[in-house]
Short mmCIF file of all heavy atoms in Angstrom, two decimals:
data_model
loop_
_atom_site.label_atom_id
_atom_site.label_comp_id
_atom_site.label_asym_id
_atom_site.label_seq_id
_atom_site.Cartn_x
_atom_site.Cartn_y
_atom_site.Cartn_z
N LYS A 446 -13.73 196.06 156.11
CA LYS A 446 -13.34 197.46 156.32
C LYS A 446 -12.21 197.80 155.36
O LYS A 446 -11.47 196.92 154.91
CB LYS A 446 -12.84 197.62 157.76
CG LYS A 446 -13.92 197.46 158.79
CD LYS A 446 -13.46 198.09 160.10
CE LYS A 446 -14.34 197.69 161.25
NZ LYS A 446 -14.17 196.26 161.66
N PRO A 447 -11.98 199.11 155.09
CA PRO A 447 -10.85 199.50 154.27
C PRO A 447 -9.55 198.87 154.83
O PRO A 447 -9.36 198.84 156.05
CB PRO A 447 -10.80 201.02 154.39
CG PRO A 447 -12.20 201.41 154.74
CD PRO A 447 -12.78 200.27 155.52
N GLY A 448 -8.74 198.36 153.94
CA GLY A 448 -7.47 197.75 154.37
C GLY A 448 -7.58 196.26 154.71
O GLY A 448 -6.58 195.59 154.87
N GLU A 449 -8.83 195.74 154.80
CA GLU A 449 -8.98 194.32 155.12
C GLU A 449 -9.17 193.50 153.87
O GLU A 449 -9.85 193.92 152.92
CB GLU A 449 -10.20 194.11 156.03
CG GLU A 449 -9.92 194.45 157.48
CD GLU A 449 -11.16 194.29 158.36
OE1 GLU A 449 -12.17 193.74 157.87
OE2 GLU A 449 -11.08 194.72 159.52
N LYS A 450 -8.61 192.29 153.90
CA LYS A 450 -8.68 191.41 152.74
C LYS A 450 -10.03 190.71 152.68
O LYS A 450 -10.56 190.29 153.69
CB LYS A 450 -7.55 190.40 152.88
CG LYS A 450 -7.47 189.33 151.87
CD LYS A 450 -6.18 188.54 152.05
CE LYS A 450 -6.23 187.20 151.35
NZ LYS A 450 -5.01 186.44 151.52
N GLY A 451 -10.55 190.57 151.48
CA GLY A 451 -11.78 189.83 151.29
C GLY A 451 -11.93 189.37 149.85
O GLY A 451 -10.96 189.40 149.10
N TYR A 452 -13.14 188.91 149.50
CA TYR A 452 -13.41 188.44 148.15
C TYR A 452 -14.01 189.57 147.33
O TYR A 452 -14.95 190.24 147.77
CB TYR A 452 -14.43 187.32 148.17
CG TYR A 452 -14.02 186.13 149.00
CD1 TYR A 452 -14.52 185.94 150.30
CD2 TYR A 452 -13.16 185.18 148.47
CE1 TYR A 452 -14.14 184.85 151.05
CE2 TYR A 452 -12.76 184.09 149.22
CZ TYR A 452 -13.26 183.92 150.51
OH TYR A 452 -12.88 182.85 151.24
N ILE A 453 -13.48 189.77 146.12
CA ILE A 453 -14.04 190.83 145.29
C ILE A 453 -15.21 190.30 144.48
O ILE A 453 -15.17 189.21 143.91
CB ILE A 453 -12.97 191.48 144.41
CG1 ILE A 453 -13.59 192.64 143.60
CG2 ILE A 453 -12.28 190.49 143.43
CD1 ILE A 453 -12.60 193.64 143.12
N VAL A 454 -16.31 191.08 144.49
CA VAL A 454 -17.50 190.70 143.73
C VAL A 454 -17.99 191.93 142.97
O VAL A 454 -17.61 193.05 143.27
CB VAL A 454 -18.65 190.22 144.64
CG1 VAL A 454 -18.25 189.03 145.49
CG2 VAL A 454 -19.19 191.34 145.53
N ILE A 455 -18.82 191.67 141.97
CA ILE A 455 -19.45 192.77 141.23
C ILE A 455 -20.97 192.63 141.41
O ILE A 455 -21.54 191.57 141.18
CB ILE A 455 -19.07 192.76 139.73
CG1 ILE A 455 -17.52 192.79 139.60
CG2 ILE A 455 -19.69 193.95 139.02
CD1 ILE A 455 -16.99 192.75 138.19
N LYS A 456 -21.58 193.72 141.86
CA LYS A 456 -22.98 193.63 142.30
C LYS A 456 -23.98 193.71 141.18
O LYS A 456 -25.11 193.29 141.32
CB LYS A 456 -23.26 194.78 143.28
CG LYS A 456 -22.59 194.60 144.62
CD LYS A 456 -23.12 195.61 145.63
CE LYS A 456 -22.43 196.93 145.45
NZ LYS A 456 -22.81 197.91 146.46
N LYS A 457 -23.61 194.35 140.07
CA LYS A 457 -24.57 194.55 138.99
C LYS A 457 -23.98 194.05 137.68
O LYS A 457 -22.77 194.03 137.53
CB LYS A 457 -24.86 196.04 138.84
CG LYS A 457 -25.56 196.67 140.04
CD LYS A 457 -26.26 197.95 139.59
CE LYS A 457 -26.92 198.66 140.77
NZ LYS A 457 -26.02 199.63 141.39
N PRO A 458 -24.84 193.67 136.72
CA PRO A 458 -24.30 193.19 135.45
C PRO A 458 -23.71 194.36 134.60
O PRO A 458 -24.04 195.52 134.87
CB PRO A 458 -25.53 192.66 134.74
CG PRO A 458 -26.67 193.40 135.33
CD PRO A 458 -26.31 193.68 136.74
N TRP A 459 -22.85 193.98 133.68
CA TRP A 459 -22.28 194.98 132.74
C TRP A 459 -22.22 194.27 131.38
O TRP A 459 -22.27 193.01 131.33
CB TRP A 459 -20.89 195.43 133.22
CG TRP A 459 -19.89 194.30 133.18
CD1 TRP A 459 -18.96 194.05 132.22
CD2 TRP A 459 -19.77 193.23 134.14
NE1 TRP A 459 -18.25 192.89 132.52
CE2 TRP A 459 -18.72 192.37 133.68
CE3 TRP A 459 -20.41 192.90 135.34
CZ2 TRP A 459 -18.33 191.24 134.39
CZ3 TRP A 459 -20.01 191.74 136.02
CH2 TRP A 459 -18.99 190.95 135.54
N PRO A 460 -22.14 195.01 130.29
CA PRO A 460 -22.31 194.38 128.97
C PRO A 460 -21.30 193.29 128.60
O PRO A 460 -21.58 192.44 127.77
CB PRO A 460 -22.21 195.57 128.00
CG PRO A 460 -22.58 196.76 128.80
CD PRO A 460 -22.08 196.48 130.20
N GLY A 461 -20.09 193.34 129.22
CA GLY A 461 -19.07 192.35 128.83
C GLY A 461 -19.21 191.01 129.53
O GLY A 461 -18.47 190.07 129.22
N LEU A 462 -20.13 190.93 130.50
CA LEU A 462 -20.29 189.66 131.23
C LEU A 462 -20.70 188.55 130.27
O LEU A 462 -21.57 188.77 129.43
CB LEU A 462 -21.33 189.84 132.35
CG LEU A 462 -21.74 188.59 133.12
CD1 LEU A 462 -20.56 188.06 133.93
CD2 LEU A 462 -22.91 188.87 134.05
N MET A 463 -20.06 187.39 130.41
CA MET A 463 -20.42 186.23 129.55
C MET A 463 -21.93 185.97 129.55
O MET A 463 -22.63 186.36 130.50
CB MET A 463 -19.68 184.99 130.08
CG MET A 463 -20.25 184.51 131.40
SD MET A 463 -19.21 183.35 132.28
CE MET A 463 -19.07 184.26 133.83
N LEU A 464 -22.38 185.23 128.52
CA LEU A 464 -23.79 184.82 128.49
C LEU A 464 -24.05 183.71 129.48
O LEU A 464 -25.03 183.69 130.20
CB LEU A 464 -24.16 184.31 127.08
CG LEU A 464 -24.29 185.33 125.96
CD1 LEU A 464 -24.45 184.62 124.63
CD2 LEU A 464 -25.51 186.23 126.20
N THR A 465 -23.15 182.72 129.45
CA THR A 465 -23.25 181.54 130.32
C THR A 465 -22.00 180.69 130.11
O THR A 465 -21.08 181.09 129.41
CB THR A 465 -24.52 180.72 129.97
OG1 THR A 465 -24.69 179.67 130.93
CG2 THR A 465 -24.47 180.12 128.57
#
Side-chain angles (χ1 to χ4, degrees):
K446 293 200 193 71
E449 281 178 9
K450 176 172 162 180
Y452 301 100
I453 183 159
V454 302
I455 304 178
K456 289 191 278 185
K457 295 201 183 92
W459 67 99
L462 174 65
M463 71 195 124
L464 287 171
T465 186

